[in-house]
Amino acid sequence: MIKSLRVTALAAALMAATSLTAMAEVVYHRGNTGDPETLDQHKTSTVYEAHILRDLYEGLVAYNAKGEIIPGVAESWTASEDGTVYTFTLREDAKWSNGDPVVAGDFVYSLRRIMNPETGAKYANILYPIKNAEAVNTGDLAVEELAVKAIDDRTLEIALEAPTPYFIDLLGHQTGLPVHPATVEAHGTDFVKPENIVSNGPFTLVEFTPNAQLKANKNPHFHDADNVQIDTVIFYPTEDRGAALRRFQAGELHTNNDAPTEQVAFMKEELGPQFRVAPYLGNYYYALNHEDEALSNPDVRRALSMAIDREFLAEEIWGSVMVPAYSFVPPGIGNYGEPAYADYKDMSLIDREDKAIELLASAGFSPDNPLQLEIRYNTSENHKNTAVAIADMWKPLGVEVSMLNTDVATHYAHLRDRGDFDVARAGWIGDYSDPQNFLFMVESDNTGFNYARYNNPEYDALMDEAAKTVDLEKRAQLLQQAEALFMRDLPFIPLMYYGSMNLVSDTVSGFEDNLQNIHPTRWMSIAQ
């Protein structure tokens, strides 16, 4: 009898322990390179915001763990024969986090909102392929003229200005994510606050403490909630890559989406496969202010670019996780062919430096009469080391460099809104594999990303012509001509093509390396 009672008690204890284990909350501690400047998907512009927004919302299409486009709210879609009209069928079980159904009218409202000039969307022009989008965004047409129509609650029709080979990929970008109309109407810009927000993705926002953390819980109304293995994801701003590495080693972070380049050798040896390096569709560059008196001289800009030893930057400063860049469009991008490389790409560094000294001298600058420039960069040892190295490379030309660093949100807000800088560090990660996604940045009317204030009507005309060209080969030729102008005029100095670096704990599954470095929490799990 006593033995039987002991066995029963042991069984009950084991069952209780098993039940507690099953009920244990799975929390994903996720390092993210900066605090979001905004959680409004219609005002966003950065990768670290995209990581968060993809967890909170689902667009017509979504991404799988490999970074590939898959059906999202739209379970299927068709295109007209001429490629100018897309019809989307929405899934029946798509819901908002408050239980409301997601309907076609929500996307009509959302696309009108991002195109409405009153919204002030920095990235509205990514959706200019939609018919009348540009005219609406510039105030020439009413928002009702945008060619987006709800046929019924489950059927959405979008017409395009011209066939756009990358249109479905565009819809995967965070600017294609919907907002909940009633919440925006009720709260205005405060719809992003945790107490107000209504989202339709795998997670819903519950807390945001700037400079500390952003917390999101699993959304029980998400159509695939049964397969989401993470209960809570907490994003931590990790601008200090060295501190993030230490937190990762201490087990405080499961992943971090960057790493300190000065410790690459250490990480490779100590972390093994937990330190991930993979090709990445992006360009690390310096923007040059074309409204600055000295930098308005094309010879000065060319000299500065020629004197930079990109191989040294990529190998010594960045630990071979970057590749030297002599074009703005990265090699291997879709719908293009070879980029338009700088004509000094194959010159020796000594010859380039001699030519650079000659060009600056012709512009009136030398060690006796130095050109004084300030390099701005957002806080990161990697960016600081890059700036110090470039300052040293420019010194023989007669260039004196000062430096200013700020946090990432302040840095980019300054570049967009004020423009009173000389040289500024920036980076661009392709949102889709097409050269237009890089070259559109310096169109004269792109106030959100044309940090250089570049204004070349010939460049704009080539980009406009390419946008109307259906033949992919002819379109590629037009875009290459535009890039050739870019590399001649240098609104930006391309420095390196990106490689992605991630710290990934061996307890994490579902984190798959991919060219776009997209890793939705939806697909991940953590071994307890």
Side-chain angles (χ1 to χ4, degrees):
M1 181 66 177
I2 294 174
K3 182 178 181 181
S4 175
L5 287 172
R6 286 176 177 169
V7 170
T8 302
L10 179 59
L14 287 172
M15 288 178 65
T18 302
S19 177
L20 285 171
T21 301
M23 292 172 60
E25 183 184 28
V26 180
V27 180
Y28 172 22
H29 298 280
R30 181 167 184 166
N32 196 27
T33 41
D35 257 343
E37 184 183 341
T38 178
L39 288 175
D40 184 338
Q41 51 270 58
H42 296 161
K43 297 183 179 181
T44 180
S45 63
T46 67
V47 170
Y48 50 89
E49 290 164 348
H51 294 318
I52 298 168
L53 289 167
R54 275 192 296 266
D55 277 1
L56 300 180
Y57 293 91
E58 182 177 66
L60 292 167
V61 297
Y63 289 98
N64 65 13
K66 296 179 180 179
E68 300 165 335
I69 290 288
I70 59 171
V73 174
E75 62 183 13
S76 63
W77 54 86
T78 59
S80 60
E81 275 192 35
D82 65 357
T84 61
V85 179
Y86 283 79
T87 304
F88 298 87
T89 301
L90 275 55
R91 60 173 69 250
E92 286 188 72
D93 55 354
K95 293 183 179 180
W96 292 97
S97 55
N98 67 351
D100 289 349
V102 181
V103 296
D106 296 339
F107 284 93
V108 175
Y109 179 93
S110 299
L111 290 168
R112 286 178 176 177
R113 180 177 183 267
I114 192 173
M115 286 304 156
N116 190 331
E118 293 181 4
T119 301
K122 298 186 285 283
Y123 211 167
N125 55 4
I126 195 175
L127 296 171
Y128 275 7
I130 298 175
K131 189 173 182 179
N132 295 337
E134 184 172 8
V136 169
N137 190 233
T138 55
D140 294 331
L141 285 178
V143 292
E144 292 78 14
E145 296 300 314
L146 186 68
V148 180
K149 181 167 56 175
I151 306 300
D152 55 44
D153 280 353
R154 291 191 58 213
T155 310
L156 179 72
E157 181 182 281
I158 301 178
L160 307 182
E161 293 282 359
T164 305
Y166 51 89
F167 180 63
I168 294 297
D169 287 347
L170 284 186
L171 296 177
H173 188 260
Q174 63 260 40
T175 49
L177 297 173
V179 294
H180 184 250
T183 302
V184 175
E185 291 298 313
H187 300 287
T189 56
D190 286 343
F191 83 92
V192 299
K193 292 185 175 180
E195 62 269 27
N196 299 331
I197 197 166
V198 175
S199 60
N200 73 322
F203 297 88
T204 186
L205 181 68
V206 294
E207 176 189 329
F208 177 32
T209 306
N211 301 314
Q213 66 179 43
L214 182 149
K215 181 179 179 182
N217 288 345
K218 181 177 172 178
N219 175 12
H221 291 288
F222 182 60
H223 61 84
D224 195 37
D226 289 347
N227 293 314
V228 176
Q229 302 298 306
I230 303 294
D231 296 306
T232 297
V233 54
I234 303 177
F235 289 87
Y236 301 90
T238 53
E239 289 187 43
D240 186 333
R241 275 68 166 174
L245 173 59
R246 292 190 292 274
R247 293 183 69 181
F248 179 80
Q249 290 179 289
E252 296 175 15
L253 297 176
H254 288 110
T255 66
N256 193 62
N257 66 324
D258 205 350
T261 54
E262 67 274 12
Q263 297 191 59
V264 165
F266 168 81
M267 291 184 291
K268 286 180 177 178
E269 181 166 344
E270 293 296 318
L271 301 180
Q274 293 186 109
F275 174 54
R276 308 263 195 103
V277 179
Y280 198 13
L281 189 67
N283 199 309
Y284 184 108
Y285 64 91
Y286 272 8
L288 303 180
N289 188 351
H290 279 224
E291 294 179 351
D292 177 87
E293 183 178 355
L295 293 174
S296 65
N297 185 331
D299 286 344
V300 171
R301 300 193 300 269
R302 181 176 173 85
L304 294 174
S305 180
M306 292 184 78
I308 295 172
D309 185 346
R310 293 159 173 82
E311 285 71 20
F312 177 85
L313 297 179
E315 294 166 16
E316 301 300 327
I317 302 297
W318 287 85
S320 297
V321 297
M322 297 279 215
V323 176
Y326 291 91
S327 66
F328 191 53
V329 178
I333 202 166
N335 306 317
Y336 201 42
E338 282 294 295
Y341 291 111
D343 57 8
Y344 44 82
K345 173 178 180 289
D346 297 321
M347 287 175 63
S348 72
L349 184 62
I350 293 176
D351 288 343
R352 289 196 341 235
E353 186 176 288
D354 288 344
K355 182 63 178 176
I357 291 172
E358 179 186 321
L359 287 169
L360 270 193
S362 69
F365 298 106
S366 67
D368 295 329
N369 182 37
L371 169 62
Q372 296 183 336
L373 295 175
E374 180 183 75
I375 297 178
R376 298 182 67 103
Y377 62 91
N378 53 294
T379 305
S380 160
E381 282 301 307
N382 303 350
H383 303 330
K384 177 183 177 182
N385 293 340
T386 300
V388 169
I390 288 176
D392 193 53
M393 295 169 193
W394 284 347
K395 192 172 182 179
L397 279 61
V399 180
E400 290 184 355
V401 172
S402 60
M403 300 182 196
L404 177 65
N405 78 280
T406 55
D407 66 88
V408 66
T410 302
H411 177 74
Y412 280 106
H414 183 91
L415 296 191
R416 279 193 309 271
D417 302 334
R418 295 182 62 188
D420 54 341
F421 69 93
D422 300 328
V423 182
R425 177 268 156 191
W428 184 253
I429 306 302
D431 300 303
Y432 45 92
S433 188
D434 189 274
Q436 183 272 350
N437 189 224
F438 286 81
L439 299 175
F440 90 108
M441 294 178 67
V442 293
E443 292 178 17
S444 60
D445 61 354
N446 191 344
T447 55
F449 298 102
N450 185 3
Y451 308 137
R453 292 4 182 217
Y454 180 57
N455 189 344
N456 183 337
E458 184 182 358
Y459 184 91
D460 290 345
L462 286 167
M463 293 299 294
D464 289 343
E465 183 65 22
K468 297 182 289 187
T469 302
V470 177
D471 183 280
L472 289 179
E473 186 173 339
K474 184 178 178 183
R475 176 178 179 269
Q477 291 172 356
L478 291 166
L479 292 172
Q480 284 167 338
Q481 290 175 47
E483 189 182 15
L485 291 179
F486 180 107
M487 294 307 300
R488 181 196 72 186
D489 295 344
L490 291 173
F492 305 156
I493 297 178
L495 298 174
M496 293 166 285
Y497 308 120
Y498 272 101
S500 66
M501 292 189 292
N502 286 285
L503 303 175
V504 184
S505 167
D506 53 17
T507 64
V508 175
S509 299
F511 191 107
E512 298 195 30
D513 296 330
N514 58 76
L515 188 63
Q516 297 204 86
N517 200 27
I518 287 174
H519 306 284
T521 302
R522 172 184 176 182
W523 308 108
M524 295 186 210
S525 61
I526 297 173
Q528 296 289 81

